Amino acid sequence: MRSRAPYRRPERIASAGTIISAAPASERDRRLTMRLDTGAEWPVERKAWAESGLNIGDSVTTADVQRLFDAEDLVAATNSAARLLGMRARSAQELLRALDQRGYPEHIAHQVITDFLERGYLDDAEFARRWITVRSELAPRSNRLLGRELKAKGVAPELIDESLMEADLDDVETATRLAEHRLERMRGLAPDVQRRRIIGFLERRGFGWDAIGAVDRNLLRNLTGETDEEPD
């Protein structure tokens, strides 16, 4: 089932003029519509309007209207970012992409990310360490695949290298443990089938032939009776 695309805020283009009205569609509506004498109109949060200092009859420049938009977008983007982080941890780049997908202006999204980094709500080093720990516990995989996953989430290469070095995971040990666990679920299958499936499984978990070869020599070949020894 395909995931639903997130709601994207409509783009608003500021313009100058004189404010002729600012009224909600209903008493319960938390947004009102600000109209200029030029015919331009935009939905605006009541709170943003109240805090803007603008009044009906004021002549506004494009910059005045843009400041109103930015103040409203900043509050909305901050709330959206907090909700996203409440769902699960994210890297700074991953959160930035999510805000972009929801239609927040680039300068607003970057402002939110900078604020969250300064407050410690975002920490890519901690995110990388936690990602490696959780993935290694729940679905072990190679260092190479862990690195690729973190790169896809926008974590800086140096942080990825540092986190993997700190985790000190051995690909051969991980691959061997995975193979042993997998073999327990393959009892009854022909040895050559077990060996083929284990090798394919390890490949999908990102292990290179150094680790897979070690597992094959130390574990899998015993299934089929193969040996590295030269015949007499």
Side-chain angles (χ1 to χ4, degrees):
M1 183 176 178
R2 298 176 65 180
S3 59
R4 187 174 62 180
Y7 168 77
R8 186 174 180 84
R9 288 170 71 85
E11 183 180 9
R12 296 177 296 184
I13 300 176
S15 63
T18 299
I19 302 173
I20 60 173
S21 68
S26 68
E27 286 299 321
R28 293 185 176 183
D29 197 343
R30 62 186 179 86
R31 298 172 72 82
L32 51 79
T33 300
M34 184 177 78
R35 295 185 176 88
L36 304 185
D37 60 345
T38 60
E41 62 178 48
W42 308 275
V44 178
E45 293 281 348
R46 286 183 187 237
K47 184 178 180 181
W49 166 258
E51 294 177 349
S52 70
L54 298 175
N55 295 287
I56 296 172
D58 287 351
S59 293
V60 291
T61 65
T62 299
D64 292 330
V65 176
Q66 189 60 55
R67 277 193 292 274
L68 174 61
F69 291 171
D70 285 353
E72 184 181 11
D73 285 341
L74 181 59
V75 172
T78 299
N79 291 337
S80 182
R83 285 193 299 271
L84 288 166
L85 287 181
M87 295 165 61
R88 65 173 176 82
R90 298 169 191 264
S91 68
Q93 187 63 35
E94 193 179 10
L95 185 58
L96 183 63
R97 291 173 189 160
L99 292 176
D100 176 69
Q101 290 172 352
R102 284 157 176 77
Y104 293 104
E106 183 178 357
H107 67 288
I108 294 295
H110 278 282
Q111 190 173 340
V112 172
I113 297 302
T114 298
D115 179 51
F116 276 33
L117 286 169
E118 291 175 350
R119 291 169 179 261
Y121 299 159
L122 287 171
D123 184 337
D124 277 6
E126 178 58 29
F127 173 81
R129 287 192 291 269
R130 182 62 179 163
W131 181 268
I132 291 170
T133 298
V134 172
R135 297 294 266 181
S136 297
E137 290 176 353
L138 299 181
R141 59 205 57 216
S142 69
N143 283 289
R144 181 175 59 179
L145 184 53
L146 288 168
R148 284 208 306 263
E149 290 173 343
L150 288 169
K151 182 179 179 181
K153 292 185 175 297
V155 179
E158 59 270 20
L159 289 180
I160 295 173
D161 291 342
E162 290 173 8
S163 299
L164 287 171
M165 188 176 301
E166 182 179 321
D168 193 25
L169 300 172
D170 184 277
D171 272 358
V172 173
E173 291 180 4
T174 302
T176 300
R177 188 169 67 252
L178 278 171
E180 290 173 341
H181 179 71
R182 202 76 172 182
L183 282 172
E184 293 178 0
R185 300 162 55 184
M186 293 185 177
R187 293 174 181 174
L189 295 178
D192 59 324
V193 174
Q194 293 182 28
R195 181 184 179 193
R196 185 173 65 250
R197 290 188 180 182
I198 290 294
I199 290 175
F201 171 70
L202 294 177
E203 287 177 335
R204 292 191 296 276
R205 287 295 176 95
F207 293 99
W209 279 104
D210 286 346
I212 294 176
V215 173
D216 193 31
R217 288 189 303 272
N218 300 331
L219 182 64
L220 300 182
R221 292 191 184 183
N222 294 331
L223 300 173
T224 58
E226 293 185 29
T227 177
D228 290 330
E229 296 180 2
E230 293 293 334
D232 293 333

